[in-house]
Amino acid sequence: MAIIELNNLIKHYDVNGLSVPAVRGVNLSIGEGEFAAIAGPSGSGKTTILNLIGGLDKPSEGQVIVEGNNLAHLSQKELSDLRLRKIGFVFQAYNLIPVLTALENVEYVLLLQGIRREDRKTRAASILREVGLEAEINRFPRELSGGQQQRVAVARAIVSEPTIVLADEPTANLDQKTGESLIELMHHLNRTKNITFLFSTHDPMVMDRAERLMHIIDGQIISDVRKHTKTPKPASSRKKR
Amino acid sequence: MNIFFHLCWRNLWRHKRRSLIVISSVAVGVFAMISAMGLLNGIMEQMVDNTINTALGHVSIQAKGFQNSLRSEYSFIPAETLYTAIGRTADSQKGYAPRIKLKGMARSSASSRPVIITGIDPTKERSVSHLAEYIIPSTGSFIERADEDTVLISKNMADALELSPGDNIIIMLQNTRGELTAAGLTIKGLFTTPVENFDRHTIFVGLEKLQALAGFGKKISEISLTLKDRNASSAMKTALMLFVQKAGLEVLTWQEMAPNLVRSIAIVDTMMYVSFFIIFITVIFSIANTLVMAIMERFREIGVMKSIGTEPRMIFFMVVFESMLLGITGLVFGIAAGYTAMKLLSIAGIDLSRYAQTLRAMGSGSIIYPSVRAFDVFMATAIVLITTICAAIIPARKAARIEPVKALSYI
Ligand SMILES: Nc1ncnc2c1ncn2[C@@H]1O[C@H](COP(=O)(O)OP(=O)(O)OP(=O)(O)O)[C@@H](O)[C@H]1O
Ligand SMILES: [Mg+2]
């Protein structure tokens, strides 16, 4: 079953009265539990597509259907709620609220969901343990490395048990090794929790790890390749940090 | 709500200096407000207390129509049962005393003056007014017996009539039959009260002496009561009302007897609060400015918050709450400083003898003991909350409307 469906999606931005095309007729269907990457050069439309799927932006034409909901039919509040409960976001950098600790950043999402205090604390702490940040839970973002900050962002994205995580160039600000272990973490979460991951990248290493790779140029998908079939790795081969 | 509170509170301290400027401007404003109101309230309370202590009393039982005319036909013989009824309220009163008030003239060989001749029961009067304490010791003493041939006049009147203690003064009045009567009385002592206007007009004679002179028999004009708490006058009125009405009399509170005093307090209060509001309007701009800057700096962060599902109204509330926190922090310091300063000043009192003339005209006395009312603290709190909420509305709307897409492309 397709969890994300894009039908003839078109987006152009209005810049000083000129219409600048960013996405030019994208058709795409992503199934539940996929680990998919959108790759393409700078300015090709990756961020725009992810924003449209997350309901952060409205398409000029075409449809975005998430879990059977046509986003065009949802109110602002329903979109907020969709992002709160169904979709987790990870951005390239500066994802976290700087005045909150790692634990509080993760807890924040649960607060928005109206979850009781004790439950919030235990759930946030256990997710942070899962992403390998047990020792850092009380640190503020500025006291964490870039890779650790991204792990907190991943923890925050999955703590609400969403069905989809959208990650816009999550490794772009990280060195090779740190980026690799972040992708491994996401892949692990994808398999163990059956969360659908869709991320953008222009990092060959990340493309290599994706199970499905779509290439986009000038707002159009030019290739769409399914590479691996799912073969669960033994947990011991998983690297942390 | 814990994280939300941390979020807002820590946001305030991202720019310590900027927040401290706002907090201290609120604190200084509140301090000024509490101090000014404390001082003014001290003056007002002393005005009220002095007026009450001089001869007004907190509550007066009298015939309807007496208060404004002081005419002798409104005199009455107090029934024993009336005293019993008054006795029942003993817990909340300091004392009560019967009085006669009559219009008349006082004259010496040099001059004459219209006066209000007040007949007092010397023993009971001591429990009701401070008159005995207002006698200047070097000039003589208070009346001892209610039937003495003596009179107490103010220093002010003695000067005007060119009289000294021990001299005779002629008192003229109309008796109950409408005949003009005169009597010569010896000046037993001079008094000065803090209420200048009172000194200009009032003289005191023993109650029985005045009853005899004016042909009153056993009649009196009023029974004056003083209470332990000046704000209990209405409650006392209610307590006495039923019984007093049966006797064909009425109960007046000091607020009813001195409406001008009440009105001037209200006017001064209002004027002060209007000026505080104006001062705080400038604070609104300083807070709003700080908030707008803070939001511009957090543009991306707010975008992230919205993109992970924070509703706009929560962002709105966050900004309003941060503004309120700034205000409340300033408020707490301002109240603490203002209250402490006024408490310290009220131990020794503030000596305003330099302005003694003015203060005497106002009736407050020249040493002021500032007093902070709960009401002023409440008003300071209300003004600060209103100010900070108003200041936050526009910046908060701006923040709530930040579009995540724009904010996210902004680093
Ligand atoms: N808010 C905007 N207003 C105007 N034009 C925009 C806006 N956002 C994106 N664009 C334009 O749309 C096109 C696609 O941009 P997009 O950010 O989606 O690319 P991208 O693939 O994410 O690039 P990058 O790898 O640099 O992040 C670009 O030409 C860009 O200039
Ligand atoms: Mg991008």
Side-chain angles (χ1 to χ4, degrees):
Chain A
M1 190 197 111
I3 198 164
I4 299 170
E5 238 185 275
L6 307 181
N7 295 332
N8 191 30
L9 196 66
I10 296 177
K11 174 74 186 178
H12 24 246
Y13 290 103
D14 206 36
V15 182
N16 303 325
L18 288 172
S19 174
V20 178
V23 177
R24 303 189 297 166
V26 167
N27 289 292
L28 187 64
S29 171
I30 295 187
E32 198 177 336
E34 285 201 47
F35 194 68
I38 302 177
S42 185
S44 56
K46 305 182 292 291
T47 299
T48 306
I49 289 177
L50 292 179
N51 286 344
L52 290 170
I53 295 172
L56 294 176
D57 212 347
K58 295 221 174 302
S60 310
E61 272 174 57
Q63 291 173 323
V64 180
I65 293 165
V66 176
E67 287 205 321
N69 299 303
N70 186 336
L71 297 196
H73 299 157
L74 299 185
S75 68
Q76 273 305 322
K77 191 172 154 32
E78 287 166 327
L79 283 172
S80 276
D81 218 51
L82 183 81
R83 289 198 295 270
L84 181 58
R85 290 167 203 283
K86 301 281 182 192
I87 303 177
F89 270 104
V90 178
F91 304 105
Q92 185 176 332
Y94 304 105
N95 267 295
L96 304 178
I97 301 172
V99 293
L100 298 183
T101 62
L103 184 72
E104 287 168 335
N105 262 287
V106 178
E107 239 190 294
Y108 178 79
V109 177
L110 301 175
L111 172 81
L112 292 182
Q113 292 192 353
I115 285 164
R116 280 185 29 240
R117 208 190 128 124
E118 306 86 77
D119 296 352
R120 285 198 316 247
K121 287 241 182 287
T122 38
R123 272 176 67 180
S126 90
I127 289 285
L128 282 167
R129 206 175 308 127
E130 245 178 286
V131 301
L133 290 177
E134 195 162 9
E136 286 83 5
I137 57 174
N138 289 320
R139 292 206 199 159
F140 286 96
R142 64 169 182 281
E143 300 163 343
L144 297 170
S145 71
Q148 289 170 333
Q149 288 183 29
Q150 288 305 76
R151 280 168 182 266
V152 177
V154 170
R156 182 183 65 188
I158 61 168
V159 72
S160 58
E161 292 166 3
T163 44
I164 303 164
V165 170
L166 301 174
D168 191 11
E169 304 198 38
T171 62
N173 277 28
L174 305 179
D175 61 55
Q176 185 72 19
K177 220 176 118 238
T178 318
E180 205 170 334
S181 86
L182 186 77
I183 288 295
E184 274 204 34
L185 171 67
M186 300 204 311
H187 206 166
H188 170 72
L189 293 167
N190 161 253
R191 275 171 297 171
T192 53
K193 293 181 187 280
N194 199 35
I195 298 172
T196 309
F197 273 78
L198 178 60
F199 47 93
S200 70
T201 188
H202 42 221
D203 177 349
M205 180 277 297
V206 176
M207 294 178 211
D208 189 48
R209 301 284 173 134
E211 292 174 1
R212 176 177 173 187
L213 183 60
M214 290 158 279
H215 273 278
I216 175 170
I217 288 176
D218 284 342
Q220 282 177 319
I221 294 182
I222 53 154
S223 76
D224 185 348
V225 189
R226 273 168 224 270
K227 298 191 301 182
H228 317 263
T229 47
K230 274 199 197 280
T231 48
K233 284 189 193 173
S236 58
S237 77
R238 206 174 96 228
K239 274 187 281 176
K240 272 189 188 174
R241 253 178 283 176
Chain B
M1 256 6 221
N2 209 353
I3 309 174
F4 186 71
F5 179 81
H6 281 162
L7 174 66
C8 295
W9 180 252
R10 290 178 196 153
N11 276 335
L12 296 189
W13 303 108
R14 290 167 95 162
H15 280 259
K16 283 199 187 64
R17 209 166 60 102
R18 199 168 64 193
S19 292
L20 282 174
I21 287 170
V22 174
I23 288 171
S24 43
S25 70
V26 171
V28 168
V30 170
F31 174 80
M33 209 168 131
I34 297 284
S35 310
M37 291 312 289
L39 201 64
L40 205 64
N41 186 46
I43 294 178
M44 294 296 173
E45 279 180 1
Q46 280 166 244
M47 258 169 83
V48 167
D49 286 348
N50 286 330
T51 310
I52 285 164
N53 292 336
T54 304
L56 194 65
H58 288 112
V59 165
S60 167
I61 298 170
Q62 51 181 249
K64 261 198 184 76
F66 175 74
Q67 179 64 26
N68 294 324
S69 66
L70 301 188
R71 287 164 69 112
S72 57
E73 66 244 43
Y74 295 117
S75 57
F76 61 96
I77 298 178
E80 263 318 305
T81 48
L82 182 57
Y83 284 120
T84 319
I86 294 171
R88 264 186 244 126
T89 64
D91 281 352
S92 48
Q93 42 160 293
K94 279 194 200 148
Y96 63 90
R99 287 197 197 124
I100 292 177
K101 282 183 191 165
L102 273 178
K103 285 180 192 161
M105 291 289 285
R107 79 186 294 175
S108 67
S109 50
S111 173
S112 72
R113 258 200 182 187
V115 289
I116 293 166
I117 310 160
T118 307
I120 52 170
D121 176 328
T123 332
K124 290 196 171 130
E125 191 64 30
R126 280 176 188 272
S127 68
V128 171
S129 69
H130 289 188
L131 193 60
E133 292 151 38
Y134 293 147
I135 304 283
I136 305 163
S138 60
T139 65
S141 62
F142 195 55
I143 299 174
E144 273 140 42
R145 287 178 296 111
D147 60 353
E148 291 180 4
D149 289 336
T150 58
V151 63
L152 300 172
I153 68 172
S154 69
K155 175 88 176 41
N156 170 302
M157 188 163 318
D159 293 345
L161 299 179
E162 296 174 24
L163 290 168
S164 311
D167 288 351
N168 257 6
I169 182 170
I170 310 293
I171 306 298
M172 294 191 297
L173 55 88
Q174 224 177 15
N175 68 18
T176 43
R177 287 190 301 274
E179 300 155 352
L180 209 60
T181 333
L185 299 173
T186 310
I187 298 170
K188 192 163 190 186
L190 306 183
F191 60 83
T192 314
T193 73
V195 188
E196 192 178 27
N197 196 35
F198 184 85
D199 286 16
R200 229 191 289 269
H201 297 294
T202 315
I203 66 171
F204 292 95
V205 181
L207 185 75
E208 288 172 26
K209 181 72 201 170
L210 191 56
Q211 282 172 333
L213 272 177
F216 262 49
K218 290 279 167 211
K219 288 182 178 173
I220 58 169
S221 313
E222 66 163 349
I223 298 173
S224 178
L225 286 87
T226 27
L227 309 179
K228 287 175 182 156
D229 173 7
R230 79 170 85 78
N231 298 317
S233 56
S234 299
M236 180 59 96
K237 175 173 175 151
T238 320
L240 290 172
M241 184 100 92
L242 236 131
F243 186 84
V244 167
Q245 269 173 347
K246 261 188 251 163
L249 301 171
E250 69 173 340
V251 188
L252 293 179
T253 62
W254 64 266
Q255 291 93 334
E256 291 163 330
M257 292 186 283
N260 287 332
L261 197 56
V262 176
R263 215 170 299 140
S264 39
I265 293 173
I267 290 171
V268 171
D269 267 8
T270 313
M271 271 166 33
M272 292 300 281
Y273 278 117
V274 168
S275 33
F276 290 133
F277 258 109
I278 293 168
I279 292 172
F280 272 88
I281 285 173
T282 61
V283 177
I284 289 187
F285 288 106
S286 117
I287 297 178
N289 190 41
T290 303
L291 293 175
V292 169
M293 279 198 285
I295 287 159
M296 292 330 276
E297 287 162 5
R298 278 151 57 192
F299 195 63
R300 179 182 164 92
E301 183 181 326
I302 291 169
V304 170
M305 288 172 74
K306 287 187 83 170
S307 64
I308 62 171
T310 311
E311 276 181 55
R313 66 188 175 123
M314 176 124 173
I315 305 280
F316 182 90
F317 187 62
M318 172 182 82
V319 176
V320 172
F321 193 65
E322 283 177 22
S323 176
M324 286 168 73
L325 278 180
L326 278 173
I328 290 168
T329 310
L331 180 75
V332 168
F333 283 111
I335 289 176
Y339 190 81
T340 312
M342 292 303 105
K343 257 282 174 295
L344 289 178
L345 285 174
S346 72
I347 294 169
I350 305 169
D351 192 349
L352 295 182
S353 311
R354 272 194 292 169
Y355 311 104
Q357 266 327 103
T358 324
L359 292 168
R360 252 179 70 70
M362 284 167 61
S364 70
S366 54
I367 301 204
I368 304 300
Y369 298 90
S371 142
V372 178
R373 288 181 296 184
F375 177 75
D376 293 323
V377 173
F378 168 80
M379 284 299 279
T381 308
I383 290 180
V384 168
L385 290 184
I386 291 171
T387 307
T388 48
I389 292 171
C390 288
I393 286 175
I394 292 174
R397 276 164 63 125
K398 245 186 158 63
R401 288 178 183 173
I402 286 176
E403 287 175 42
V405 180
K406 283 203 187 119
L408 290 170
S409 58
Y410 176 106
I411 296 180

